[in-house]
Short mmCIF file of all heavy atoms in Angstrom, two decimals:
data_model
loop_
_atom_site.label_atom_id
_atom_site.label_comp_id
_atom_site.label_asym_id
_atom_site.label_seq_id
_atom_site.Cartn_x
_atom_site.Cartn_y
_atom_site.Cartn_z
N MET I 63 0.26 60.22 -87.94
CA MET I 63 -0.85 60.64 -87.06
C MET I 63 -2.12 59.81 -87.23
O MET I 63 -2.31 59.17 -88.23
CB MET I 63 -1.06 62.18 -87.21
CG MET I 63 0.25 62.96 -86.77
SD MET I 63 -0.07 64.70 -86.58
CE MET I 63 -0.82 64.74 -84.95
N GLU I 64 -3.00 59.95 -86.25
CA GLU I 64 -4.17 59.08 -86.24
C GLU I 64 -5.21 59.40 -87.33
O GLU I 64 -6.00 58.56 -87.61
CB GLU I 64 -4.81 59.12 -84.86
CG GLU I 64 -5.42 60.50 -84.44
CD GLU I 64 -4.42 61.45 -83.80
OE1 GLU I 64 -3.22 61.13 -83.77
OE2 GLU I 64 -4.87 62.51 -83.28
N SER I 65 -5.16 60.65 -87.87
CA SER I 65 -6.16 60.95 -88.92
C SER I 65 -5.60 62.15 -89.70
O SER I 65 -4.71 62.85 -89.30
CB SER I 65 -7.49 61.39 -88.24
OG SER I 65 -7.31 62.62 -87.64
N PHE I 66 -6.21 62.29 -90.91
CA PHE I 66 -5.88 63.40 -91.77
C PHE I 66 -6.15 64.73 -91.06
O PHE I 66 -5.31 65.68 -91.14
CB PHE I 66 -6.65 63.34 -93.04
CG PHE I 66 -6.19 64.30 -94.15
CD1 PHE I 66 -5.21 64.00 -95.11
CD2 PHE I 66 -6.61 65.67 -94.11
CE1 PHE I 66 -4.73 64.92 -95.97
CE2 PHE I 66 -6.17 66.58 -95.00
CZ PHE I 66 -5.25 66.16 -95.94
N GLU I 67 -7.23 64.77 -90.31
CA GLU I 67 -7.65 66.05 -89.67
C GLU I 67 -6.61 66.35 -88.63
O GLU I 67 -6.21 67.53 -88.49
CB GLU I 67 -9.08 65.88 -89.12
CG GLU I 67 -10.15 65.84 -90.07
CD GLU I 67 -10.28 64.54 -90.97
OE1 GLU I 67 -9.80 63.49 -90.44
OE2 GLU I 67 -10.74 64.59 -92.04
N ALA I 68 -6.12 65.40 -87.86
CA ALA I 68 -5.15 65.67 -86.82
C ALA I 68 -3.81 66.11 -87.42
O ALA I 68 -3.17 67.02 -86.94
CB ALA I 68 -4.91 64.43 -85.98
N ALA I 69 -3.46 65.53 -88.52
CA ALA I 69 -2.26 65.90 -89.21
C ALA I 69 -2.37 67.33 -89.80
O ALA I 69 -1.43 68.12 -89.67
CB ALA I 69 -1.94 64.93 -90.33
N LEU I 70 -3.41 67.66 -90.37
CA LEU I 70 -3.72 69.07 -90.87
C LEU I 70 -3.68 70.09 -89.72
O LEU I 70 -2.97 71.13 -89.86
CB LEU I 70 -5.02 69.10 -91.63
CG LEU I 70 -5.51 70.48 -92.18
CD1 LEU I 70 -4.54 71.05 -93.07
CD2 LEU I 70 -6.88 70.31 -92.70
N ALA I 71 -4.31 69.73 -88.63
CA ALA I 71 -4.26 70.67 -87.49
C ALA I 71 -2.79 70.83 -86.98
O ALA I 71 -2.41 71.89 -86.62
CB ALA I 71 -5.20 70.12 -86.38
N ARG I 72 -2.05 69.73 -86.98
CA ARG I 72 -0.64 69.86 -86.50
C ARG I 72 0.20 70.65 -87.50
O ARG I 72 1.05 71.48 -87.15
CB ARG I 72 -0.07 68.49 -86.31
CG ARG I 72 1.41 68.44 -85.79
CD ARG I 72 1.59 69.00 -84.40
NE ARG I 72 0.96 68.29 -83.35
CZ ARG I 72 1.41 67.17 -82.75
NH1 ARG I 72 2.66 66.74 -83.02
NH2 ARG I 72 0.73 66.60 -81.79
N ASP I 73 -0.02 70.39 -88.84
CA ASP I 73 0.68 71.18 -89.82
C ASP I 73 0.43 72.71 -89.67
O ASP I 73 1.35 73.50 -89.71
CB ASP I 73 0.27 70.75 -91.24
CG ASP I 73 0.82 69.43 -91.68
OD1 ASP I 73 1.76 68.90 -90.98
OD2 ASP I 73 0.28 68.91 -92.69
N ILE I 74 -0.82 73.07 -89.39
CA ILE I 74 -1.16 74.47 -89.13
C ILE I 74 -0.49 75.01 -87.89
O ILE I 74 0.05 76.08 -87.90
CB ILE I 74 -2.71 74.56 -89.08
CG1 ILE I 74 -3.32 74.27 -90.46
CG2 ILE I 74 -3.14 75.97 -88.61
CD1 ILE I 74 -4.82 74.02 -90.45
N ALA I 75 -0.56 74.15 -86.73
CA ALA I 75 0.02 74.67 -85.53
C ALA I 75 1.53 74.84 -85.63
O ALA I 75 2.06 75.82 -85.17
CB ALA I 75 -0.30 73.62 -84.45
N VAL I 76 2.18 73.89 -86.34
CA VAL I 76 3.67 74.05 -86.52
C VAL I 76 4.05 75.29 -87.40
O VAL I 76 4.90 76.05 -86.96
CB VAL I 76 4.23 72.75 -87.14
CG1 VAL I 76 5.61 73.00 -87.67
CG2 VAL I 76 4.22 71.65 -86.14
N THR I 77 3.29 75.47 -88.43
CA THR I 77 3.55 76.66 -89.32
C THR I 77 3.37 77.98 -88.48
O THR I 77 4.24 78.87 -88.48
CB THR I 77 2.61 76.68 -90.46
OG1 THR I 77 2.84 75.46 -91.22
CG2 THR I 77 2.87 77.85 -91.45
N THR I 78 2.31 78.00 -87.76
CA THR I 78 2.06 79.20 -86.94
C THR I 78 3.16 79.38 -85.88
O THR I 78 3.59 80.55 -85.64
CB THR I 78 0.68 79.18 -86.26
OG1 THR I 78 -0.33 78.89 -87.28
CG2 THR I 78 0.34 80.34 -85.48
N ALA I 79 3.58 78.32 -85.21
CA ALA I 79 4.57 78.43 -84.23
C ALA I 79 5.91 78.81 -84.78
O ALA I 79 6.64 79.59 -84.16
CB ALA I 79 4.67 77.10 -83.45
N VAL I 80 6.21 78.31 -85.92
CA VAL I 80 7.57 78.65 -86.58
C VAL I 80 7.56 80.13 -87.03
O VAL I 80 8.50 80.82 -86.80
CB VAL I 80 7.88 77.72 -87.76
CG1 VAL I 80 9.04 78.24 -88.55
CG2 VAL I 80 8.19 76.31 -87.26
N ARG I 81 6.44 80.60 -87.55
CA ARG I 81 6.31 81.98 -87.93
C ARG I 81 6.60 82.82 -86.76
O ARG I 81 7.37 83.83 -86.74
CB ARG I 81 5.05 82.30 -88.65
CG ARG I 81 4.77 83.85 -88.86
CD ARG I 81 5.96 84.56 -89.51
NE ARG I 81 5.98 84.35 -90.88
CZ ARG I 81 7.09 84.54 -91.60
NH1 ARG I 81 8.21 84.95 -91.13
NH2 ARG I 81 7.02 84.22 -92.84
N GLU I 82 5.98 82.47 -85.58
CA GLU I 82 6.13 83.34 -84.41
C GLU I 82 7.54 83.21 -83.93
O GLU I 82 8.11 84.25 -83.45
CB GLU I 82 5.17 82.71 -83.30
CG GLU I 82 5.15 83.58 -82.08
CD GLU I 82 4.20 83.14 -81.06
OE1 GLU I 82 2.98 82.99 -81.49
OE2 GLU I 82 4.50 83.00 -79.89
N ALA I 83 8.19 82.07 -84.04
CA ALA I 83 9.60 81.88 -83.55
C ALA I 83 10.58 82.62 -84.44
O ALA I 83 11.54 83.22 -83.92
CB ALA I 83 9.94 80.45 -83.55
N VAL I 84 10.34 82.77 -85.71
CA VAL I 84 11.34 83.37 -86.65
C VAL I 84 11.08 84.82 -86.93
O VAL I 84 11.94 85.56 -87.45
CB VAL I 84 11.52 82.63 -88.02
CG1 VAL I 84 11.86 81.15 -87.71
CG2 VAL I 84 10.24 82.65 -88.78
N GLY I 85 9.95 85.28 -86.57
CA GLY I 85 9.55 86.74 -86.77
C GLY I 85 9.13 86.96 -88.16
O GLY I 85 9.17 86.06 -89.06
N PRO I 86 8.73 88.26 -88.45
CA PRO I 86 8.14 88.58 -89.70
C PRO I 86 9.07 88.75 -90.92
O PRO I 86 8.59 88.70 -92.03
CB PRO I 86 7.46 89.95 -89.42
CG PRO I 86 8.33 90.50 -88.27
CD PRO I 86 8.82 89.35 -87.49
N LYS I 87 10.34 88.86 -90.67
CA LYS I 87 11.23 89.15 -91.81
C LYS I 87 11.75 87.91 -92.52
O LYS I 87 12.30 87.98 -93.59
CB LYS I 87 12.41 90.01 -91.31
CG LYS I 87 11.98 91.42 -90.88
CD LYS I 87 13.09 92.28 -90.44
CE LYS I 87 12.65 93.60 -89.95
NZ LYS I 87 13.73 94.43 -89.45
N VAL I 88 11.73 86.80 -91.90
CA VAL I 88 12.29 85.53 -92.41
C VAL I 88 11.26 84.95 -93.37
O VAL I 88 9.98 84.84 -93.11
CB VAL I 88 12.58 84.47 -91.34
CG1 VAL I 88 12.96 83.15 -91.86
CG2 VAL I 88 13.67 84.99 -90.44
N LYS I 89 11.76 84.54 -94.62
CA LYS I 89 10.86 83.97 -95.62
C LYS I 89 10.52 82.52 -95.15
O LYS I 89 11.42 81.85 -94.75
CB LYS I 89 11.48 83.96 -96.95
CG LYS I 89 10.57 83.62 -98.07
CD LYS I 89 11.20 83.73 -99.44
CE LYS I 89 11.21 85.25 -99.81
NZ LYS I 89 11.59 85.52 -101.18
N LEU I 90 9.26 82.17 -95.24
CA LEU I 90 8.85 80.85 -94.69
C LEU I 90 8.19 80.05 -95.87
O LEU I 90 7.32 80.52 -96.55
CB LEU I 90 7.76 81.12 -93.60
CG LEU I 90 7.24 79.95 -92.84
CD1 LEU I 90 8.35 79.17 -92.12
CD2 LEU I 90 6.19 80.41 -91.86
N MET I 91 8.70 78.82 -96.08
CA MET I 91 8.13 78.03 -97.12
C MET I 91 7.81 76.68 -96.45
O MET I 91 8.29 76.34 -95.41
CB MET I 91 9.14 77.72 -98.17
CG MET I 91 9.52 78.93 -99.04
SD MET I 91 10.99 79.89 -98.63
CE MET I 91 12.34 78.68 -98.51
N VAL I 92 6.90 75.92 -97.14
CA VAL I 92 6.49 74.56 -96.56
C VAL I 92 6.58 73.51 -97.73
O VAL I 92 6.34 73.82 -98.92
CB VAL I 92 5.15 74.54 -95.94
CG1 VAL I 92 5.03 75.54 -94.82
CG2 VAL I 92 4.04 74.88 -96.89
N ASP I 93 6.86 72.27 -97.38
CA ASP I 93 6.94 71.18 -98.21
C ASP I 93 6.01 70.16 -97.70
O ASP I 93 6.19 69.52 -96.63
CB ASP I 93 8.38 70.60 -98.32
CG ASP I 93 8.52 69.46 -99.29
OD1 ASP I 93 7.50 68.88 -99.63
OD2 ASP I 93 9.67 69.16 -99.60
N GLY I 94 4.89 69.85 -98.50
CA GLY I 94 3.89 68.95 -98.07
C GLY I 94 4.19 67.50 -98.25
O GLY I 94 3.40 66.64 -97.92
N ASN I 95 5.34 67.15 -98.83
CA ASN I 95 5.68 65.71 -99.07
C ASN I 95 4.64 64.92 -99.78
O ASN I 95 4.53 63.74 -99.50
CB ASN I 95 6.07 65.11 -97.72
CG ASN I 95 7.30 65.65 -97.08
OD1 ASN I 95 8.31 65.73 -97.71
ND2 ASN I 95 7.18 66.11 -95.80
N LYS I 96 3.84 65.59 -100.54
CA LYS I 96 2.72 64.93 -101.25
C LYS I 96 1.73 64.28 -100.38
O LYS I 96 0.90 63.49 -100.82
CB LYS I 96 3.26 63.92 -102.28
CG LYS I 96 4.21 64.51 -103.34
CD LYS I 96 4.71 63.64 -104.37
CE LYS I 96 5.63 64.41 -105.21
NZ LYS I 96 6.22 63.59 -106.31
N ALA I 97 1.74 64.54 -99.08
CA ALA I 97 0.87 63.91 -98.17
C ALA I 97 -0.60 64.40 -98.24
O ALA I 97 -1.47 63.70 -97.59
CB ALA I 97 1.42 64.12 -96.72
N TYR I 98 -0.89 65.43 -99.00
CA TYR I 98 -2.23 65.89 -99.10
C TYR I 98 -2.89 65.18 -100.33
O TYR I 98 -3.99 65.49 -100.63
CB TYR I 98 -2.27 67.40 -99.32
CG TYR I 98 -2.05 68.17 -98.00
CD1 TYR I 98 -0.87 68.03 -97.27
CD2 TYR I 98 -3.09 68.99 -97.45
CE1 TYR I 98 -0.65 68.66 -96.08
CE2 TYR I 98 -2.84 69.70 -96.30
CZ TYR I 98 -1.67 69.56 -95.62
OH TYR I 98 -1.46 70.22 -94.38
N GLN I 99 -2.27 64.18 -100.85
CA GLN I 99 -2.89 63.48 -101.96
C GLN I 99 -4.25 62.86 -101.71
O GLN I 99 -5.12 62.96 -102.55
CB GLN I 99 -1.87 62.29 -102.38
CG GLN I 99 -2.42 61.49 -103.56
CD GLN I 99 -1.37 60.53 -104.08
OE1 GLN I 99 -0.24 60.38 -103.53
NE2 GLN I 99 -1.72 59.87 -105.19
N PRO I 100 -4.53 62.34 -100.57
CA PRO I 100 -5.87 61.83 -100.24
C PRO I 100 -6.98 62.98 -100.35
O PRO I 100 -8.12 62.66 -100.66
CB PRO I 100 -5.87 61.23 -98.87
CG PRO I 100 -4.40 61.06 -98.56
CD PRO I 100 -3.69 62.10 -99.36
N ARG I 101 -6.54 64.16 -100.02
CA ARG I 101 -7.46 65.34 -100.06
C ARG I 101 -6.78 66.54 -100.51
O ARG I 101 -6.43 67.44 -99.84
CB ARG I 101 -8.07 65.60 -98.61
CG ARG I 101 -9.03 64.56 -98.16
CD ARG I 101 -9.61 64.84 -96.83
NE ARG I 101 -9.89 66.27 -96.59
CZ ARG I 101 -9.91 66.82 -95.38
NH1 ARG I 101 -9.72 66.02 -94.25
NH2 ARG I 101 -10.18 68.00 -95.17
N PRO I 102 -6.42 66.62 -101.87
CA PRO I 102 -5.71 67.77 -102.42
C PRO I 102 -6.15 69.13 -101.97
O PRO I 102 -5.35 70.02 -101.72
CB PRO I 102 -5.78 67.52 -103.86
CG PRO I 102 -6.06 66.09 -104.00
CD PRO I 102 -6.90 65.70 -102.89
N LEU I 103 -7.46 69.28 -102.03
CA LEU I 103 -8.06 70.69 -101.68
C LEU I 103 -7.96 71.01 -100.22
O LEU I 103 -8.25 72.17 -99.87
CB LEU I 103 -9.39 70.83 -102.31
CG LEU I 103 -9.32 70.77 -103.86
CD1 LEU I 103 -10.68 71.01 -104.44
CD2 LEU I 103 -8.30 71.79 -104.38
N ALA I 104 -7.49 70.06 -99.39
CA ALA I 104 -7.19 70.44 -98.02
C ALA I 104 -6.01 71.42 -97.91
O ALA I 104 -5.82 72.05 -96.99
CB ALA I 104 -6.98 69.22 -97.17
N ALA I 105 -5.26 71.44 -99.05
CA ALA I 105 -4.17 72.46 -99.14
C ALA I 105 -4.77 73.94 -99.04
O ALA I 105 -4.09 74.81 -98.58
CB ALA I 105 -3.36 72.25 -100.37
N VAL I 106 -5.92 74.06 -99.58
CA VAL I 106 -6.64 75.38 -99.44
C VAL I 106 -6.87 75.67 -97.96
O VAL I 106 -6.74 76.79 -97.44
CB VAL I 106 -7.92 75.39 -100.32
CG1 VAL I 106 -8.63 76.73 -100.09
CG2 VAL I 106 -7.57 75.20 -101.79
N GLU I 107 -7.50 74.61 -97.25
CA GLU I 107 -7.78 74.75 -95.80
C GLU I 107 -6.55 75.26 -95.14
O GLU I 107 -6.54 76.13 -94.25
CB GLU I 107 -8.33 73.49 -95.26
CG GLU I 107 -9.66 73.03 -95.74
CD GLU I 107 -10.03 71.65 -95.17
OE1 GLU I 107 -9.97 71.49 -93.96
OE2 GLU I 107 -10.35 70.72 -96.01
N TYR I 108 -5.45 74.43 -95.41
CA TYR I 108 -4.17 74.75 -94.78
C TYR I 108 -3.71 76.16 -95.06
O TYR I 108 -3.44 77.01 -94.15
CB TYR I 108 -3.13 73.80 -95.29
CG TYR I 108 -1.68 74.18 -94.90
CD1 TYR I 108 -1.21 73.96 -93.58
CD2 TYR I 108 -0.90 74.98 -95.75
CE1 TYR I 108 0.03 74.38 -93.24
CE2 TYR I 108 0.32 75.44 -95.37
CZ TYR I 108 0.84 75.15 -94.10
OH TYR I 108 2.04 75.56 -93.75
N ALA I 109 -3.79 76.63 -96.29
CA ALA I 109 -3.36 77.99 -96.74
C ALA I 109 -4.19 78.99 -96.05
O ALA I 109 -3.63 80.03 -95.56
CB ALA I 109 -3.43 78.10 -98.24
N ARG I 110 -5.43 78.80 -95.96
CA ARG I 110 -6.30 79.85 -95.32
C ARG I 110 -6.04 79.92 -93.84
O ARG I 110 -6.02 80.97 -93.23
CB ARG I 110 -7.80 79.47 -95.58
CG ARG I 110 -8.21 79.75 -96.95
CD ARG I 110 -9.64 79.48 -97.20
NE ARG I 110 -10.07 79.85 -98.59
CZ ARG I 110 -10.99 79.20 -99.29
NH1 ARG I 110 -11.74 78.35 -98.73
NH2 ARG I 110 -11.17 79.58 -100.56
N ALA I 111 -5.76 78.79 -93.19
CA ALA I 111 -5.45 78.79 -91.76
C ALA I 111 -4.19 79.42 -91.43
O ALA I 111 -4.04 79.96 -90.32
CB ALA I 111 -5.53 77.31 -91.26
N VAL I 112 -3.21 79.36 -92.32
CA VAL I 112 -1.94 79.91 -92.00
C VAL I 112 -1.67 81.26 -92.76
O VAL I 112 -0.51 81.70 -92.85
CB VAL I 112 -0.74 78.95 -92.33
CG1 VAL I 112 -0.91 77.69 -91.51
CG2 VAL I 112 -0.64 78.63 -93.80
N ALA I 113 -2.76 81.83 -93.33
CA ALA I 113 -2.58 83.08 -94.10
C ALA I 113 -1.76 84.17 -93.27
O ALA I 113 -1.04 84.90 -93.88
CB ALA I 113 -3.93 83.64 -94.47
N GLY I 114 -2.01 84.26 -92.01
CA GLY I 114 -1.33 85.23 -91.16
C GLY I 114 0.20 84.99 -91.03
O GLY I 114 0.96 85.89 -90.66
N SER I 115 0.61 83.77 -91.40
CA SER I 115 2.01 83.38 -91.34
C SER I 115 2.74 83.73 -92.52
O SER I 115 3.98 83.62 -92.61
CB SER I 115 2.17 81.88 -91.04
OG SER I 115 1.63 81.54 -89.80
N ARG I 116 2.08 84.24 -93.58
CA ARG I 116 2.61 84.64 -94.85
C ARG I 116 3.62 83.58 -95.40
O ARG I 116 4.77 83.91 -95.63
CB ARG I 116 3.35 85.98 -94.67
CG ARG I 116 2.35 87.11 -94.30
CD ARG I 116 2.94 88.53 -94.19
NE ARG I 116 4.43 88.60 -94.09
CZ ARG I 116 5.09 88.38 -92.92
NH1 ARG I 116 4.50 88.17 -91.80
NH2 ARG I 116 6.42 88.50 -93.01
#
Side-chain angles (χ1 to χ4, degrees):
M63 297 191 75
E64 65 275 8
S65 69
F66 188 94
E67 290 72 24
L70 175 60
R72 181 65 66 86
D73 288 346
I74 292 165
V76 165
T77 303
T78 303
V80 168
R81 169 49 77 202
E82 187 175 308
V84 301
K87 293 181 182 176
V88 172
K89 191 173 280 188
L90 186 61
M91 292 96 52
V92 299
D93 182 345
N95 292 308
K96 300 182 184 180
Y98 284 62
Q99 182 174 3
R101 288 185 37 207
L103 294 181
V106 176
E107 293 175 52
Y108 168 82
R110 287 182 180 153
V112 301
S115 295
R116 297 181 347 276

